[in-house]
Amino acid sequence: YIKPGDGFDTHKDLENDRDGRFRRLTLVLLLSNSFQGCEFLANGVDVNLKIGEAIVFDAAKVEHEVKPLISGERFSLVLGLFWRVDPWLLLLDRDGVLNQDVGRPGVIRAEQFKPFPAVEKQVKRWIQAGHYAAIVTNQKAVDRGLLSRKELDDIHQVWID
């Protein structure tokens, strides 16, 4: 609840926890619209929330302020959302998701394995952020004797390297 004359100067909230195990986002949900003033600015830009609208942002990284309320009453719900930042595992299907689908019988030679550049870039970013990624694939070519399990692992190792 903000009453006339109240507001918040430009600021950033406290950083996330000291040991980096948790992240925090702030959610602001506007519950009333019978007021004047009280503009909400994030990095100097008026967010212009309407009743029932919300914004979610990293309040430790985004400068934000609430201009003084001129008249009326402004009600909003403000929540701090916290979650653990333990490493996550990303499971990627291979053909058609991670790499270009070459049709039947599938990739049976390393030179046929051509990852999509955008996917490769995002997976690298994911891993650099401290998370894990694994290829999940059902390769009938191994069952049919077109390549061995070792040959399949060698194809994947080219991408991993």
Side-chain angles (χ1 to χ4, degrees):
Y1 170 74
I2 294 179
K3 62 184 190 245
D6 285 351
F8 298 96
D9 292 333
T10 302
H11 68 285
K12 291 182 182 179
D13 291 350
L14 296 176
E15 287 291 328
N16 299 311
D17 70 310
R18 288 186 190 118
D19 63 4
R21 291 183 9 200
F22 289 90
R23 292 286 186 261
R24 176 181 155 209
L25 291 177
T26 298
L27 175 136
V28 177
L29 171 65
L30 187 61
L31 300 174
S32 66
N33 64 354
S34 57
F35 60 87
Q36 290 182 336
C38 217
E39 296 85 2
F40 178 78
L41 284 75
N43 284 338
V45 177
D46 186 355
V47 177
N48 197 20
L49 290 176
K50 307 275 189 272
I51 189 167
E53 292 181 341
I55 183 172
V56 177
F57 62 100
D58 185 338
K61 294 184 177 160
V62 175
E63 286 191 340
H64 53 287
E65 69 179 295
V66 177
K67 296 288 186 183
L69 179 65
I70 297 170
S71 65
E73 295 179 319
R74 180 182 187 266
F75 292 92
S76 58
L77 175 66
V78 179
L79 296 173
L81 309 170
F82 295 86
W83 72 94
R84 274 185 84 95
V85 185
D86 292 332
W88 289 54
L89 173 62
L90 176 64
L91 300 174
L92 295 159
D93 187 22
R94 196 185 79 173
D95 299 329
V97 174
L98 177 60
N99 68 290
Q100 299 170 25
D101 194 341
V102 297
R104 291 187 181 203
V107 175
I108 58 174
R109 294 185 314 279
E111 62 270 12
Q112 292 177 300
F113 189 75
K114 296 185 170 123
F116 292 112
V119 174
E120 189 172 25
K121 178 181 176 184
Q122 292 305 318
V123 170
K124 283 180 182 178
R125 288 180 67 195
W126 177 261
I127 292 168
Q128 288 169 349
H131 302 294
Y132 301 99
I135 298 171
V136 179
T137 184
N138 176 16
Q139 295 301 311
K140 293 180 182 178
V142 173
D143 188 48
R144 294 181 181 146
L146 299 173
L147 77 158
S148 69
R149 174 62 195 254
K150 181 180 179 338
E151 290 170 319
L152 178 64
D153 289 343
D154 290 346
I155 290 169
H156 293 160
Q157 191 61 45
V158 169
W159 183 71
I160 292 168
D161 293 339

